[in-house]
Amino acid sequence: MCNVKLTKCFYVKRVLSKHGVVRNVVPKGKGKMSLEKALQTSMGNIPECLASGYVDMDTGMLLGVHTVDSHPQEVLDTLAAATADMFQGSSVVQIENMFKKFRGTEDTSDHYFQEIFVFSDNLLHVFMRTKQYPSHVVCFVCRKSANPGMVLTKARMAIDTVAGAL
């Protein structure tokens, strides 16, 4: 139920949400940077960045991606599901609810986990929830040799620009 432009960079023009509402997810306004351009630009500012992606956890879709290499579509599709599991899996929600209860903030819809670092054998993955859209996550993948502190600092500097492209 979506129109997709596929290239090395791609984005979803319209999506069907879990509530059955079709909405635009690509900016139409003048002066706004496109999502694909924002992802590409942010990669240039983050040390040793190889890929970036933008996930809408409400729809379970990868709305945008830019990589230096090509990847099979099934890998890209799985990224969105894995991201949602990390931020909204049942155990994570249970932990968030426990922290809210202990802090006396049970009535808020705030999320406890905002950023997640994953270190694999060769790569460093940064997943960051956006402030503008709490159900959206930006992901950056860098070489493991990159300085994690610098990666996090530069990713934090880029996230508002990327989220603002929607």
Side-chain angles (χ1 to χ4, degrees):
M1 289 268 174
C2 63
N3 299 322
V4 179
K5 174 185 175 187
L6 288 173
T7 62
K8 197 168 189 183
C9 294
F10 71 91
Y11 57 90
V12 177
K13 290 183 179 179
R14 297 175 67 80
V15 296
L16 180 64
S17 75
K18 66 181 178 182
H19 304 294
V21 178
V22 175
R23 61 187 174 95
N24 289 325
V25 295
V26 174
K28 298 228 183 226
K30 293 180 180 175
K32 257 189 179 179
M33 186 182 297
S34 72
L35 181 56
E36 69 180 40
K37 181 67 175 165
L39 290 169
Q40 182 179 10
T41 301
S42 65
M43 282 179 59
N45 296 324
I46 297 171
E48 301 186 57
C49 192
L50 304 171
S52 59
Y54 194 97
V55 176
D56 180 346
M57 294 185 294
D58 282 343
T59 62
M61 295 185 71
L62 182 64
L63 300 182
V65 67
H66 184 79
T67 67
V68 295
D69 296 322
S70 60
H71 299 283
Q73 188 62 43
E74 62 214 35
V75 171
L76 298 174
D77 292 340
T78 304
L79 173 65
T83 300
D85 285 345
M86 282 192 294
F87 281 94
Q88 297 178 337
S90 60
S91 296
V92 173
V93 171
Q94 186 177 11
I95 289 169
E96 284 185 329
N97 290 336
M98 287 165 132
F99 283 138
K100 286 178 187 180
K101 184 177 180 182
F102 295 145
R103 290 188 172 96
T105 58
E106 295 175 73
D107 297 336
T108 69
S109 62
D110 294 340
H111 295 281
Y112 187 73
F113 297 107
Q114 300 296 318
E115 301 169 342
I116 298 173
F117 257 104
V118 177
F119 294 87
S120 63
D121 288 340
N122 301 309
L123 300 170
L124 165 63
H125 310 256
V126 183
F127 298 87
M128 304 174 73
R129 190 185 294 270
T130 68
K131 291 179 184 123
Q132 296 96 322
Y133 309 103
S135 65
H136 293 185
V137 172
V138 179
C139 172
F140 299 106
V141 180
C142 302
R143 288 187 181 91
K144 193 172 186 175
S145 59
N147 179 318
M150 189 57 73
V151 168
L152 184 58
T153 299
K154 294 292 188 171
R156 285 177 174 168
M157 292 171 66
I159 193 167
D160 289 337
T161 301
V162 173
L166 283 185

